[in-house]
């Protein structure tokens, strides 16, 4: 009996994990506004809609064993996405624009490349209240509420005209 494995093609061929400079620039513009410019926020979300994000997965022990010398060790582990919880109980799923920002947060985390709508869908499925982009910087962004729900539904935000935004849906063709 032959066992053949095939790997799915990357949806981001040639991706080296670097952040897109234009995306980082609009995130910086949002941060420079101290979170007060709604146009800068929407531009940042729209830029992320056309880019790749990295969702970190980390190993979580599911079974702990004790070795011959009485030392505890992981017997089994699962890979899990990361959720942060605020003191008020709200939870956010993490994602990053590049491997540099992911490594600044946790160098041991494994990056999974996804689109923003896929990350939003995963956040909603995991009962997160928000998606937190580039938690460790250089400029972070929180996507929540109706914007998160629209993204999770497969919609993408576009800037139709300067300062005018609308939702679109990607149709497989």
């Amino acid at each position: 009996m032959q066992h053949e494995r095939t790997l799915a093609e990357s949806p981001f061929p040639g991706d080296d994990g670097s952040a897109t400079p234009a995306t980082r620039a609009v995130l910086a513009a949002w941060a420079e506004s101290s979170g007060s410019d709604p146009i800068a926020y929407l531009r940042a979300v729209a830029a992320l809609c056309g880019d790749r994000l990295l969702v970190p997965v980390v190993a979580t022990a599911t079974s702990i064993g004790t070795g011959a010398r009485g030392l505890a060790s992981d017997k089994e582990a699962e890979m899990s996405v990361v959720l942060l919880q605020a003191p008020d109980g709200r939870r956010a799923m993490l994602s990053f624009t590049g491997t540099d920002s992911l490594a600044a947060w946790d160098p041991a985390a494994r990056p999974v490349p996804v689109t923003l709508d896929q990350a939003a869908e995963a956040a909603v499925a995991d009962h997160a209240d928000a998606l937190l982009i580039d938690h460790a910087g250089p400029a972070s962004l929180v996507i929540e509420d109706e914007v998160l729900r629209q993204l999770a539904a497969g919609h993408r935000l576009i800037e139709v005209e300067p300062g005018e935004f609308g939702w679109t849906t990607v149709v497989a063709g």
Side-chain angles (χ1 to χ4, degrees):
M1 176 180 241
Q2 286 188 354
H3 296 283
E4 288 187 33
R5 291 186 182 188
T6 58
L7 297 175
E9 287 189 35
S10 170
F12 308 99
D15 183 10
D16 66 358
S18 299
T20 304
T23 299
R24 286 268 174 95
V26 293
L27 288 172
W30 162 248
E32 289 169 13
S33 79
S34 301
S36 63
D37 182 356
I39 299 299
Y41 174 78
L42 294 173
R43 280 195 177 123
V45 173
L48 289 165
C49 283
D51 208 347
R52 174 269 303 129
L53 287 174
L54 300 172
V55 172
V57 293
V58 295
T60 306
T62 57
S63 176
I64 305 292
T66 305
R69 296 183 184 193
L71 298 175
S73 64
D74 297 350
K75 287 186 80 170
E76 296 178 11
E78 291 181 355
M79 296 303 283
S80 305
V81 297
V82 178
L83 297 175
L84 295 182
Q85 185 165 332
D88 67 1
R90 292 174 43 88
R91 299 178 342 149
M93 189 176 97
L94 297 181
S95 62
F96 297 88
T97 56
T99 52
D100 60 338
S101 56
L102 185 143
W105 170 73
D106 182 352
R110 299 282 187 183
V112 176
V114 298
T115 59
L116 178 59
D117 52 321
Q118 290 170 327
E121 183 180 6
V124 169
D126 282 341
H127 307 289
D129 301 295
L131 184 61
L132 176 54
I133 314 290
D134 283 351
H135 175 58
S140 61
L141 177 77
V142 176
I143 299 173
E144 57 191 340
D145 302 325
E146 185 60 25
V147 176
L148 182 65
R149 287 188 290 278
Q150 288 290 330
L151 292 166
H155 301 133
R156 294 189 180 173
L157 189 66
I158 59 169
E159 189 167 9
V160 182
E161 294 181 21
E164 300 279 328
F165 296 86
W167 291 104
T168 186
T169 304
V170 177
V171 179

PDB file of all heavy atoms in Angstrom, residues 109-143:
ATOM      1  N   ALA A 109       6.311  31.105  18.795  1.00  0.00           N
ATOM      2  CA  ALA A 109       5.017  30.909  18.132  1.00  0.00           C
ATOM      3  C   ALA A 109       5.221  30.602  16.652  1.00  0.00           C
ATOM      4  O   ALA A 109       6.137  31.118  16.013  1.00  0.00           O
ATOM      5  CB  ALA A 109       4.148  32.149  18.293  1.00  0.00           C
ATOM      6  N   ARG A 110       4.363  29.750  16.118  1.00  0.00           N
ATOM      7  CA  ARG A 110       4.420  29.392  14.705  1.00  0.00           C
ATOM      8  C   ARG A 110       3.426  30.250  13.925  1.00  0.00           C
ATOM      9  O   ARG A 110       2.258  30.336  14.290  1.00  0.00           O
ATOM     10  CB  ARG A 110       4.042  27.920  14.509  1.00  0.00           C
ATOM     11  CG  ARG A 110       4.951  26.964  15.212  1.00  0.00           C
ATOM     12  CD  ARG A 110       6.197  26.806  14.447  1.00  0.00           C
ATOM     13  NE  ARG A 110       7.021  25.755  15.042  1.00  0.00           N
ATOM     14  CZ  ARG A 110       8.197  25.465  14.590  1.00  0.00           C
ATOM     15  NH1 ARG A 110       8.694  26.109  13.582  1.00  0.00           N
ATOM     16  NH2 ARG A 110       8.895  24.514  15.165  1.00  0.00           N
ATOM     17  N   PRO A 111       3.859  30.869  12.834  1.00  0.00           N
ATOM     18  CA  PRO A 111       2.952  31.708  12.046  1.00  0.00           C
ATOM     19  C   PRO A 111       2.111  30.885  11.069  1.00  0.00           C
ATOM     20  O   PRO A 111       2.618  30.010  10.384  1.00  0.00           O
ATOM     21  CB  PRO A 111       3.907  32.626  11.291  1.00  0.00           C
ATOM     22  CG  PRO A 111       5.152  31.816  11.140  1.00  0.00           C
ATOM     23  CD  PRO A 111       5.236  30.938  12.367  1.00  0.00           C
ATOM     24  N   VAL A 112       0.821  31.183  11.027  1.00  0.00           N
ATOM     25  CA  VAL A 112      -0.073  30.591  10.035  1.00  0.00           C
ATOM     26  C   VAL A 112      -0.586  31.741   9.164  1.00  0.00           C
ATOM     27  O   VAL A 112      -1.274  32.633   9.662  1.00  0.00           O
ATOM     28  CB  VAL A 112      -1.252  29.850  10.696  1.00  0.00           C
ATOM     29  CG1 VAL A 112      -2.219  29.330   9.642  1.00  0.00           C
ATOM     30  CG2 VAL A 112      -0.746  28.721  11.579  1.00  0.00           C
ATOM     31  N   PRO A 113      -0.242  31.756   7.863  1.00  0.00           N
ATOM     32  CA  PRO A 113      -0.668  32.864   7.011  1.00  0.00           C
ATOM     33  C   PRO A 113      -2.153  32.747   6.641  1.00  0.00           C
ATOM     34  O   PRO A 113      -2.620  31.682   6.233  1.00  0.00           O
ATOM     35  CB  PRO A 113       0.221  32.725   5.775  1.00  0.00           C
ATOM     36  CG  PRO A 113       0.636  31.290   5.748  1.00  0.00           C
ATOM     37  CD  PRO A 113       0.624  30.806   7.171  1.00  0.00           C
ATOM     38  N   VAL A 114      -2.873  33.848   6.816  1.00  0.00           N
ATOM     39  CA  VAL A 114      -4.307  33.896   6.518  1.00  0.00           C
ATOM     40  C   VAL A 114      -4.666  35.285   5.996  1.00  0.00           C
ATOM     41  O   VAL A 114      -3.899  36.227   6.140  1.00  0.00           O
ATOM     42  CB  VAL A 114      -5.174  33.595   7.769  1.00  0.00           C
ATOM     43  CG1 VAL A 114      -4.933  32.196   8.301  1.00  0.00           C
ATOM     44  CG2 VAL A 114      -4.943  34.627   8.857  1.00  0.00           C
ATOM     45  N   THR A 115      -5.863  35.389   5.440  1.00  0.00           N
ATOM     46  CA  THR A 115      -6.395  36.697   5.079  1.00  0.00           C
ATOM     47  C   THR A 115      -7.110  37.282   6.301  1.00  0.00           C
ATOM     48  O   THR A 115      -7.426  36.561   7.257  1.00  0.00           O
ATOM     49  CB  THR A 115      -7.384  36.588   3.903  1.00  0.00           C
ATOM     50  OG1 THR A 115      -8.450  35.714   4.280  1.00  0.00           O
ATOM     51  CG2 THR A 115      -6.695  36.057   2.645  1.00  0.00           C
ATOM     52  N   LEU A 116      -7.388  38.562   6.261  1.00  0.00           N
ATOM     53  CA  LEU A 116      -8.046  39.211   7.391  1.00  0.00           C
ATOM     54  C   LEU A 116      -9.425  38.625   7.650  1.00  0.00           C
ATOM     55  O   LEU A 116      -9.797  38.391   8.805  1.00  0.00           O
ATOM     56  CB  LEU A 116      -8.152  40.721   7.156  1.00  0.00           C
ATOM     57  CG  LEU A 116      -8.857  41.530   8.246  1.00  0.00           C
ATOM     58  CD1 LEU A 116      -8.157  41.383   9.588  1.00  0.00           C
ATOM     59  CD2 LEU A 116      -8.950  42.987   7.838  1.00  0.00           C
ATOM     60  N   ASP A 117     -10.173  38.337   6.600  1.00  0.00           N
ATOM     61  CA  ASP A 117     -11.505  37.760   6.816  1.00  0.00           C
ATOM     62  C   ASP A 117     -11.408  36.362   7.432  1.00  0.00           C
ATOM     63  O   ASP A 117     -12.231  35.993   8.269  1.00  0.00           O
ATOM     64  CB  ASP A 117     -12.362  37.783   5.546  1.00  0.00           C
ATOM     65  CG  ASP A 117     -11.695  37.187   4.323  1.00  0.00           C
ATOM     66  OD1 ASP A 117     -10.488  37.389   4.131  1.00  0.00           O
ATOM     67  OD2 ASP A 117     -12.401  36.528   3.543  1.00  0.00           O
ATOM     68  N   GLN A 118     -10.388  35.589   7.082  1.00  0.00           N
ATOM     69  CA  GLN A 118     -10.195  34.280   7.711  1.00  0.00           C
ATOM     70  C   GLN A 118      -9.836  34.429   9.185  1.00  0.00           C
ATOM     71  O   GLN A 118     -10.335  33.681  10.033  1.00  0.00           O
ATOM     72  CB  GLN A 118      -9.096  33.493   6.988  1.00  0.00           C
ATOM     73  CG  GLN A 118      -9.483  33.037   5.601  1.00  0.00           C
ATOM     74  CD  GLN A 118      -8.295  32.485   4.828  1.00  0.00           C
ATOM     75  OE1 GLN A 118      -7.149  32.928   4.991  1.00  0.00           O
ATOM     76  NE2 GLN A 118      -8.563  31.502   3.972  1.00  0.00           N
ATOM     77  N   ALA A 119      -8.973  35.394   9.507  1.00  0.00           N
ATOM     78  CA  ALA A 119      -8.613  35.636  10.907  1.00  0.00           C
ATOM     79  C   ALA A 119      -9.834  36.087  11.703  1.00  0.00           C
ATOM     80  O   ALA A 119     -10.057  35.630  12.823  1.00  0.00           O
ATOM     81  CB  ALA A 119      -7.504  36.685  10.993  1.00  0.00           C
ATOM     82  N   ALA A 120     -10.647  36.957  11.115  1.00  0.00           N
ATOM     83  CA  ALA A 120     -11.856  37.434  11.794  1.00  0.00           C
ATOM     84  C   ALA A 120     -12.839  36.289  12.012  1.00  0.00           C
ATOM     85  O   ALA A 120     -13.440  36.170  13.086  1.00  0.00           O
ATOM     86  CB  ALA A 120     -12.513  38.547  10.982  1.00  0.00           C
ATOM     87  N   GLU A 121     -12.980  35.425  11.018  1.00  0.00           N
ATOM     88  CA  GLU A 121     -13.872  34.271  11.155  1.00  0.00           C
ATOM     89  C   GLU A 121     -13.410  33.355  12.286  1.00  0.00           C
ATOM     90  O   GLU A 121     -14.215  32.885  13.094  1.00  0.00           O
ATOM     91  CB  GLU A 121     -13.946  33.504   9.833  1.00  0.00           C
ATOM     92  CG  GLU A 121     -14.897  32.344   9.859  1.00  0.00           C
ATOM     93  CD  GLU A 121     -14.963  31.595   8.534  1.00  0.00           C
ATOM     94  OE1 GLU A 121     -14.191  31.887   7.609  1.00  0.00           O
ATOM     95  OE2 GLU A 121     -15.812  30.688   8.440  1.00  0.00           O
ATOM     96  N   ALA A 122     -12.095  33.126  12.377  1.00  0.00           N
ATOM     97  CA  ALA A 122     -11.552  32.289  13.447  1.00  0.00           C
ATOM     98  C   ALA A 122     -11.762  32.943  14.813  1.00  0.00           C
ATOM     99  O   ALA A 122     -12.100  32.273  15.789  1.00  0.00           O
ATOM    100  CB  ALA A 122     -10.069  32.019  13.210  1.00  0.00           C
ATOM    101  N   ALA A 123     -11.583  34.256  14.877  1.00  0.00           N
ATOM    102  CA  ALA A 123     -11.784  34.974  16.144  1.00  0.00           C
ATOM    103  C   ALA A 123     -13.227  34.838  16.614  1.00  0.00           C
ATOM    104  O   ALA A 123     -13.483  34.532  17.785  1.00  0.00           O
ATOM    105  CB  ALA A 123     -11.414  36.451  15.982  1.00  0.00           C
ATOM    106  N   VAL A 124     -14.162  35.030  15.711  1.00  0.00           N
ATOM    107  CA  VAL A 124     -15.584  34.913  16.069  1.00  0.00           C
ATOM    108  C   VAL A 124     -15.913  33.477  16.466  1.00  0.00           C
ATOM    109  O   VAL A 124     -16.620  33.235  17.444  1.00  0.00           O
ATOM    110  CB  VAL A 124     -16.471  35.422  14.915  1.00  0.00           C
ATOM    111  CG1 VAL A 124     -17.929  35.068  15.132  1.00  0.00           C
ATOM    112  CG2 VAL A 124     -16.313  36.934  14.757  1.00  0.00           C
ATOM    113  N   ALA A 125     -15.363  32.508  15.727  1.00  0.00           N
ATOM    114  CA  ALA A 125     -15.614  31.093  16.049  1.00  0.00           C
ATOM    115  C   ALA A 125     -15.074  30.722  17.428  1.00  0.00           C
ATOM    116  O   ALA A 125     -15.646  29.864  18.107  1.00  0.00           O
ATOM    117  CB  ALA A 125     -14.999  30.195  14.981  1.00  0.00           C
ATOM    118  N   ASP A 126     -13.982  31.376  17.848  1.00  0.00           N
ATOM    119  CA  ASP A 126     -13.393  31.117  19.164  1.00  0.00           C
ATOM    120  C   ASP A 126     -13.985  32.032  20.244  1.00  0.00           C
ATOM    121  O   ASP A 126     -13.438  32.126  21.346  1.00  0.00           O
ATOM    122  CB  ASP A 126     -11.875  31.279  19.119  1.00  0.00           C
ATOM    123  CG  ASP A 126     -11.185  30.082  18.493  1.00  0.00           C
ATOM    124  OD1 ASP A 126     -11.803  29.002  18.415  1.00  0.00           O
ATOM    125  OD2 ASP A 126     -10.017  30.214  18.091  1.00  0.00           O
ATOM    126  N   HIS A 127     -15.074  32.701  19.913  1.00  0.00           N
ATOM    127  CA  HIS A 127     -15.792  33.573  20.859  1.00  0.00           C
ATOM    128  C   HIS A 127     -14.945  34.738  21.352  1.00  0.00           C
ATOM    129  O   HIS A 127     -15.093  35.174  22.492  1.00  0.00           O
ATOM    130  CB  HIS A 127     -16.363  32.767  22.033  1.00  0.00           C
ATOM    131  CG  HIS A 127     -17.203  31.614  21.588  1.00  0.00           C
ATOM    132  ND1 HIS A 127     -18.443  31.778  21.022  1.00  0.00           N
ATOM    133  CD2 HIS A 127     -16.966  30.282  21.591  1.00  0.00           C
ATOM    134  CE1 HIS A 127     -18.935  30.597  20.700  1.00  0.00           C
ATOM    135  NE2 HIS A 127     -18.053  29.667  21.031  1.00  0.00           N
ATOM    136  N   ALA A 128     -14.059  35.227  20.489  1.00  0.00           N
ATOM    137  CA  ALA A 128     -13.273  36.415  20.825  1.00  0.00           C
ATOM    138  C   ALA A 128     -14.116  37.648  20.518  1.00  0.00           C
ATOM    139  O   ALA A 128     -14.958  37.638  19.618  1.00  0.00           O
ATOM    140  CB  ALA A 128     -11.982  36.450  20.019  1.00  0.00           C
ATOM    141  N   ASP A 129     -13.874  38.697  21.268  1.00  0.00           N
ATOM    142  CA  ASP A 129     -14.578  39.961  21.073  1.00  0.00           C
ATOM    143  C   ASP A 129     -13.866  40.858  20.075  1.00  0.00           C
ATOM    144  O   ASP A 129     -14.441  41.837  19.602  1.00  0.00           O
ATOM    145  CB  ASP A 129     -14.693  40.704  22.412  1.00  0.00           C
ATOM    146  CG  ASP A 129     -15.432  39.878  23.445  1.00  0.00           C
ATOM    147  OD1 ASP A 129     -16.626  39.623  23.240  1.00  0.00           O
ATOM    148  OD2 ASP A 129     -14.785  39.466  24.438  1.00  0.00           O
ATOM    149  N   ALA A 130     -12.600  40.547  19.799  1.00  0.00           N
ATOM    150  CA  ALA A 130     -11.802  41.420  18.946  1.00  0.00           C
ATOM    151  C   ALA A 130     -10.672  40.640  18.294  1.00  0.00           C
ATOM    152  O   ALA A 130     -10.331  39.531  18.715  1.00  0.00           O
ATOM    153  CB  ALA A 130     -11.224  42.561  19.776  1.00  0.00           C
ATOM    154  N   LEU A 131     -10.115  41.258  17.289  1.00  0.00           N
ATOM    155  CA  LEU A 131      -8.904  40.777  16.641  1.00  0.00           C
ATOM    156  C   LEU A 131      -7.859  41.852  16.893  1.00  0.00           C
ATOM    157  O   LEU A 131      -8.072  43.023  16.568  1.00  0.00           O
ATOM    158  CB  LEU A 131      -9.150  40.585  15.145  1.00  0.00           C
ATOM    159  CG  LEU A 131      -8.039  39.995  14.301  1.00  0.00           C
ATOM    160  CD1 LEU A 131      -7.685  38.591  14.774  1.00  0.00           C
ATOM    161  CD2 LEU A 131      -8.460  39.952  12.842  1.00  0.00           C
ATOM    162  N   LEU A 132      -6.748  41.482  17.512  1.00  0.00           N
ATOM    163  CA  LEU A 132      -5.689  42.424  17.866  1.00  0.00           C
ATOM    164  C   LEU A 132      -4.516  42.217  16.918  1.00  0.00           C
ATOM    165  O   LEU A 132      -3.903  41.149  16.902  1.00  0.00           O
ATOM    166  CB  LEU A 132      -5.269  42.209  19.320  1.00  0.00           C
ATOM    167  CG  LEU A 132      -4.108  43.023  19.868  1.00  0.00           C
ATOM    168  CD1 LEU A 132      -4.318  44.518  19.675  1.00  0.00           C
ATOM    169  CD2 LEU A 132      -3.889  42.683  21.336  1.00  0.00           C
ATOM    170  N   ILE A 133      -4.230  43.245  16.128  1.00  0.00           N
ATOM    171  CA  ILE A 133      -3.173  43.184  15.125  1.00  0.00           C
ATOM    172  C   ILE A 133      -1.896  43.800  15.708  1.00  0.00           C
ATOM    173  O   ILE A 133      -1.929  44.906  16.246  1.00  0.00           O
ATOM    174  CB  ILE A 133      -3.562  43.976  13.854  1.00  0.00           C
ATOM    175  CG1 ILE A 133      -4.991  43.674  13.391  1.00  0.00           C
ATOM    176  CG2 ILE A 133      -2.532  43.789  12.750  1.00  0.00           C
ATOM    177  CD1 ILE A 133      -5.221  42.320  12.839  1.00  0.00           C
ATOM    178  N   ASP A 134      -0.768  43.117  15.573  1.00  0.00           N
ATOM    179  CA  ASP A 134       0.556  43.600  15.991  1.00  0.00           C
ATOM    180  C   ASP A 134       0.580  44.078  17.446  1.00  0.00           C
ATOM    181  O   ASP A 134       0.988  45.207  17.752  1.00  0.00           O
ATOM    182  CB  ASP A 134       1.060  44.701  15.047  1.00  0.00           C
ATOM    183  CG  ASP A 134       1.577  44.139  13.728  1.00  0.00           C
ATOM    184  OD1 ASP A 134       1.703  42.900  13.614  1.00  0.00           O
ATOM    185  OD2 ASP A 134       1.854  44.928  12.815  1.00  0.00           O
ATOM    186  N   HIS A 135       0.183  43.191  18.331  1.00  0.00           N
ATOM    187  CA  HIS A 135       0.152  43.494  19.764  1.00  0.00           C
ATOM    188  C   HIS A 135       1.484  44.041  20.271  1.00  0.00           C
ATOM    189  O   HIS A 135       1.524  44.937  21.107  1.00  0.00           O
ATOM    190  CB  HIS A 135      -0.237  42.225  20.537  1.00  0.00           C
ATOM    191  CG  HIS A 135      -0.193  42.351  22.011  1.00  0.00           C
ATOM    192  ND1 HIS A 135      -0.926  43.289  22.700  1.00  0.00           N
ATOM    193  CD2 HIS A 135       0.505  41.666  22.944  1.00  0.00           C
ATOM    194  CE1 HIS A 135      -0.683  43.170  23.998  1.00  0.00           C
ATOM    195  NE2 HIS A 135       0.182  42.200  24.161  1.00  0.00           N
ATOM    196  N   ALA A 136       2.590  43.521  19.765  1.00  0.00           N
ATOM    197  CA  ALA A 136       3.916  43.947  20.216  1.00  0.00           C
ATOM    198  C   ALA A 136       4.459  45.118  19.396  1.00  0.00           C
ATOM    199  O   ALA A 136       5.602  45.507  19.553  1.00  0.00           O
ATOM    200  CB  ALA A 136       4.886  42.767  20.148  1.00  0.00           C
ATOM    201  N   GLY A 137       3.634  45.675  18.518  1.00  0.00           N
ATOM    202  CA  GLY A 137       4.058  46.817  17.712  1.00  0.00           C
ATOM    203  C   GLY A 137       4.560  46.376  16.348  1.00  0.00           C
ATOM    204  O   GLY A 137       4.498  45.211  16.020  1.00  0.00           O
ATOM    205  N   PRO A 138       4.992  47.275  15.534  1.00  0.00           N
ATOM    206  CA  PRO A 138       5.292  48.661  15.839  1.00  0.00           C
ATOM    207  C   PRO A 138       4.066  49.559  16.044  1.00  0.00           C
ATOM    208  O   PRO A 138       4.147  50.559  16.748  1.00  0.00           O
ATOM    209  CB  PRO A 138       6.112  49.128  14.645  1.00  0.00           C
ATOM    210  CG  PRO A 138       5.753  48.208  13.532  1.00  0.00           C
ATOM    211  CD  PRO A 138       5.353  46.915  14.168  1.00  0.00           C
ATOM    212  N   ALA A 139       2.934  49.237  15.457  1.00  0.00           N
ATOM    213  CA  ALA A 139       1.689  49.983  15.685  1.00  0.00           C
ATOM    214  C   ALA A 139       0.566  48.960  15.697  1.00  0.00           C
ATOM    215  O   ALA A 139       0.423  48.178  14.763  1.00  0.00           O
ATOM    216  CB  ALA A 139       1.461  51.015  14.583  1.00  0.00           C
ATOM    217  N   SER A 140      -0.216  48.946  16.748  1.00  0.00           N
ATOM    218  CA  SER A 140      -1.265  47.935  16.859  1.00  0.00           C
ATOM    219  C   SER A 140      -2.628  48.502  16.472  1.00  0.00           C
ATOM    220  O   SER A 140      -2.829  49.713  16.421  1.00  0.00           O
ATOM    221  CB  SER A 140      -1.302  47.354  18.270  1.00  0.00           C
ATOM    222  OG  SER A 140      -1.583  48.367  19.200  1.00  0.00           O
ATOM    223  N   LEU A 141      -3.541  47.595  16.208  1.00  0.00           N
ATOM    224  CA  LEU A 141      -4.897  47.943  15.795  1.00  0.00           C
ATOM    225  C   LEU A 141      -5.838  46.893  16.361  1.00  0.00           C
ATOM    226  O   LEU A 141      -5.527  45.699  16.330  1.00  0.00           O
ATOM    227  CB  LEU A 141      -4.997  47.949  14.257  1.00  0.00           C
ATOM    228  CG  LEU A 141      -6.363  48.228  13.659  1.00  0.00           C
ATOM    229  CD1 LEU A 141      -6.685  49.718  13.734  1.00  0.00           C
ATOM    230  CD2 LEU A 141      -6.413  47.777  12.204  1.00  0.00           C
ATOM    231  N   VAL A 142      -6.975  47.336  16.860  1.00  0.00           N
ATOM    232  CA  VAL A 142      -8.006  46.425  17.367  1.00  0.00           C
ATOM    233  C   VAL A 142      -9.205  46.504  16.434  1.00  0.00           C
ATOM    234  O   VAL A 142      -9.703  47.593  16.133  1.00  0.00           O
ATOM    235  CB  VAL A 142      -8.436  46.810  18.803  1.00  0.00           C
ATOM    236  CG1 VAL A 142      -9.576  45.915  19.272  1.00  0.00           C
ATOM    237  CG2 VAL A 142      -7.257  46.722  19.751  1.00  0.00           C
ATOM    238  N   ILE A 143      -9.650  45.339  15.968  1.00  0.00           N
ATOM    239  CA  ILE A 143     -10.853  45.254  15.133  1.00  0.00           C
ATOM    240  C   ILE A 143     -11.906  44.537  15.953  1.00  0.00           C
ATOM    241  O   ILE A 143     -11.667  43.429  16.439  1.00  0.00           O
ATOM    242  CB  ILE A 143     -10.563  44.499  13.814  1.00  0.00           C
ATOM    243  CG1 ILE A 143      -9.485  45.237  13.016  1.00  0.00           C
ATOM    244  CG2 ILE A 143     -11.838  44.330  13.011  1.00  0.00           C
ATOM    245  CD1 ILE A 143      -9.013  44.500  11.790  1.00  0.00           C
TER     246      ILE A 143
END
